[in-house]
Amino acid sequence: MAIGVFDSGVGGLSIHRALVERFPTADLVYLADQAHTPYGRLPGERIVDLTRQGCQRLFDAGADLVVLGCNTASAIALRRLQQTWLPQLRRQRDRPTNILGIIVPTIEAATGLPWTQEPERPPEKAEALETLGVFCTPQTAASRVYEIEIDKRRGDLAVFVEPCPELAQLIEGGASADILCAAILSHADNLTRRVGRPPDRFILGCTHYELAGDLFRAVLPDGAALIHQPGATADALERYLASHPEYDIGSRGLRRFLTTGQPGPQKGLVEAFWGGPMVFEAV
Ligand code: DGL
């Protein structure tokens, strides 16, 4: 069996690469829903439907465990699918079956607290706040998941979210470094204006942005700390697998890359990030 990784497009490869490094002998299948990318401005119900279809394709391709390598799907669709679809799917498949998201591990990394350690009452607000800037898609921003969940856990951490409506599509389309830098700079300036100074730490809260991670690091203030979502996701999956031995993640080091869009070689930015040629198969 295999681990499936799902995203609207190539962004989830940032999560996938971290899982390949962490579980080198596991079998991994990636699905990019490039026929419908980007998700970040689609209506919520459409994101739920597309995420369900993508997960089904990955289960059909041999995955038992699917990681949503997409903040937008994790914020908008994951809870719905876990509550309304997974119970019946488990009965049909009659084998261990689950879908995990990437926002919980990221919030654990940002707060330094395990998810299950949610205090009974929100913590008192501290006077000297550390600031955290989150770049993400409009739908992830609209869900307010980062503000709500971090606020419940840490009274000394103030979250400022910056929706970046055009950025995932630019990265998906292989835009030049100049165009990407200009877009990143304008979003970083927006955050700085709202906070009154550059935030102390940042989350790249859309997996596409990690593919342009070097450009973010060049644009953000020197020494700004970035919370590494792919690493946090790999850590969380390692803990999950240790406590769920019923999942067999395979041992052949199989790698498959599927797309609902145009099969074939991927654009320069993707290959540069992956460190070699990358060819997607039609699903
Ligand atoms: N990479 C995705 C995310 O993390 C989706 C971006 C999009 O399709 O708009 O949100």
Side-chain angles (χ1 to χ4, degrees):
M1 279 298 130
I3 302 172
V5 179
F6 175 73
D7 184 37
S8 65
V10 295
L13 289 171
S14 57
I15 302 294
H16 192 85
R17 190 176 75 173
L19 300 188
V20 167
E21 283 164 8
R22 187 67 60 92
F23 308 101
T25 58
D27 297 332
L28 282 135
V29 187
Y30 185 85
L31 173 63
D33 188 14
Q34 290 175 307
H36 304 105
T37 195
Y39 280 12
R41 281 177 289 176
L42 294 179
E45 284 305 308
R46 181 80 174 129
I47 295 170
V48 174
D49 280 347
L50 292 171
T51 305
R52 185 193 299 110
Q53 289 165 28
C55 290
Q56 181 68 64
R57 286 188 151 117
L58 283 165
F59 290 126
D60 292 344
D64 281 340
L65 194 56
V66 171
V67 176
L68 299 180
C70 176
N71 288 267
T72 311
S74 300
I76 304 295
L78 179 58
R79 185 170 299 192
R80 274 275 296 285
L81 297 184
Q82 282 173 334
Q83 290 174 347
T84 61
W85 182 54
L86 267 181
Q88 95 197 36
L89 185 70
R90 286 195 183 108
R91 282 195 295 278
Q92 271 168 23
R93 299 184 81 231
D94 195 23
R95 50 183 301 118
T97 302
N98 208 359
I99 305 173
L100 305 173
I102 56 175
I103 290 181
V104 167
T106 309
I107 288 176
E108 288 181 321
T111 58
L113 297 169
W115 185 255
T116 45
Q117 205 175 303
E118 184 192 327
E120 270 171 33
R121 270 180 295 126
E124 301 236 329
K125 284 290 159 207
E127 206 160 300
L129 292 176
E130 189 191 359
T131 52
L132 178 67
V134 182
F135 299 101
C136 62
T137 68
Q139 276 288 18
T140 301
S143 77
R144 302 195 68 246
V145 62
Y146 280 106
E147 293 102 310
I148 292 169
E149 297 298 339
I150 291 175
D151 229 42
K152 277 187 205 165
R153 293 168 168 81
R154 287 274 303 266
D156 57 343
L157 195 53
V159 182
F160 294 83
V161 171
E162 168 68 9
C164 311
E166 77 295 24
L167 203 46
Q169 200 168 5
L170 287 176
I171 293 170
E172 187 72 33
S176 71
D178 284 353
I179 291 177
L180 291 175
C181 269
I184 295 167
L185 192 58
S186 102
H187 290 299
D189 284 350
N190 288 346
L191 269 182
T192 300
R193 253 195 309 278
R194 289 203 345 257
V195 180
R197 59 185 166 85
D200 304 308
R201 292 194 286 155
F202 293 90
I203 293 176
L204 304 189
C206 165
T207 52
H208 278 73
Y209 305 167
E210 190 60 40
L211 271 66
D214 289 346
L215 302 181
F216 273 92
R217 279 179 272 276
V219 163
L220 295 177
D222 276 351
L226 279 182
I227 289 155
H228 194 239
Q229 184 166 60
T233 304
D235 291 344
L237 184 58
E238 198 169 347
R239 291 194 296 273
Y240 181 84
L241 291 171
S243 58
H244 291 83
E246 67 276 22
Y247 286 96
D248 165 13
I249 58 170
S251 56
R252 291 172 296 157
L254 176 86
R255 312 275 175 255
R256 286 186 73 197
F257 299 93
L258 310 175
T259 180
T260 58
Q262 190 69 37
Q266 291 304 297
K267 300 202 171 64
L269 187 63
V270 175
E271 291 202 344
F273 176 79
W274 193 252
M278 161 160 275
V279 179
F280 281 4
E281 301 168 42
V283 71

